[in-house]
Amino acid sequence: MRLLLVEDSRRLIELVGETIHEAGWRLDAVSSVRSAEAAIAEREHDLVLLDLGLPDGDGLDLLRWIRQEHAGLPVLIITARGSVDERVQGLDAGADDYLVKPFHHRELLSRCRAMLRRNPHAIQPVLEAGALRFDPATAELRCDGVVLPLPPRERSLIEILMREVGRVVPKRRLEIALSEYGQELSANALELAVSRVRKRLQPLDTGVSIETVRGIGYLLRTAA
């Protein structure tokens, strides 16, 4: 899952980022209407978290643009504007849900999960390869039923490889997929993530291996 946070508070970006990453989802964060439009045009997102008080315009105008150009993209407003009239205005403008600041991180995650469940395009089947099982809805990786704790980047990496099991995934595709908007992942960081996943899986009877296809990318292979 990839979410877009449109928020100009650096502190809130950090706090929401920690919450989203711990949930196993990827997050792009931007701080203006213009950068949000560019991010939405450049990458596919499963959900937008939208603040209304942005430095170059009103978030409601961005919301109306999203509804016109990307009608099916779910939007959760997160704002300090908490009056009944303001909530009604946001929902009538096209928001799928409305959360007033300050909010608890558990409620934010709960509302995100509920919105993703309601979005048929975001519903993804459980992935299986060898003894591994990955549930995109919960971002849980299991081996023979036992949860394998992995940091967010490594969880995203194994998810992508499991989606393409038996096929080579180009390095550049992985770098883009594991990057966040405006913060590109380096080749060295990708190699480090692959190495950490290999070490985590090595002592387990997973029935899979991650192979390097030199100069091209990586391949998740199941045992014959």
Side-chain angles (χ1 to χ4, degrees):
M1 300 291 182
R2 182 181 289 275
L3 282 63
L4 175 66
L5 171 62
V6 188
E7 168 64 60
D8 65 338
S9 167
R10 176 53 55 184
R11 179 55 179 161
L12 191 57
I13 289 174
E14 292 175 355
L15 292 174
V16 172
E18 291 175 3
T19 297
I20 297 303
H21 289 145
E22 285 304 311
W25 300 331
R26 295 184 288 279
L27 181 72
D28 295 329
V30 297
S31 58
S32 67
V33 171
R34 179 173 297 181
S35 56
E37 291 175 347
I40 292 171
E42 181 176 324
R43 289 184 174 175
E44 290 188 8
H45 296 90
D46 298 293
L47 173 63
V48 175
L49 307 176
L50 175 62
D51 184 23
L52 297 182
L54 299 171
D56 62 340
D58 195 307
L60 289 178
D61 292 331
L62 174 60
L63 175 58
R64 295 184 184 100
W65 175 82
I66 292 174
R67 284 293 158 259
Q68 181 177 348
E69 301 295 329
H70 304 271
L73 180 58
V75 177
L76 168 60
I77 288 178
I78 52 172
T79 180
R81 303 178 189 176
S83 72
V84 172
D85 287 343
E86 288 168 327
R87 293 199 299 271
V88 169
Q89 185 180 24
L91 294 169
D92 284 347
D96 297 276
D97 201 355
Y98 199 105
L99 185 59
V100 179
K101 302 175 183 176
F103 49 79
H104 196 280
H105 70 278
R106 289 172 57 195
E107 182 179 6
L108 173 63
L109 284 180
S110 179
R111 288 175 182 258
C112 288
R113 287 193 293 264
M115 292 177 65
L116 291 169
R117 286 196 299 269
R118 294 197 298 267
N119 180 15
H121 301 292
I123 298 175
Q124 303 175 42
V126 173
L127 306 174
E128 295 184 353
L132 296 180
R133 187 176 184 271
F134 185 89
D135 187 345
T138 60
E140 279 190 347
L141 177 67
R142 294 175 178 266
C143 178
D144 287 332
V146 179
V147 176
L148 303 181
L150 287 176
R153 179 174 291 168
E154 282 74 31
R155 274 183 288 184
S156 296
L157 172 62
I158 195 67
E159 175 186 0
I160 295 168
L161 293 176
M162 289 180 70
R163 289 186 185 281
E164 302 293 336
V165 62
R167 294 187 289 269
V168 178
V169 182
K171 286 186 177 180
R172 185 54 184 160
R173 176 182 166 188
L174 290 170
E175 290 169 3
I176 293 172
L178 299 180
S179 295
E180 295 184 355
Y181 189 74
Q183 301 178 12
E184 294 300 317
L185 187 76
S186 68
N188 289 339
L190 174 60
E191 291 176 4
L192 179 60
V194 172
S195 175
R196 286 175 172 170
V197 173
R198 281 175 172 155
K199 288 181 180 178
R200 184 66 182 88
L201 299 182
Q202 185 175 14
L204 305 173
D205 186 15
T206 63
V208 302
S209 60
I210 301 176
E211 300 181 3
T212 300
V213 181
R214 194 169 300 278
I216 301 177
Y218 298 95
L219 164 71
L220 185 72
R221 188 184 300 279
T222 57

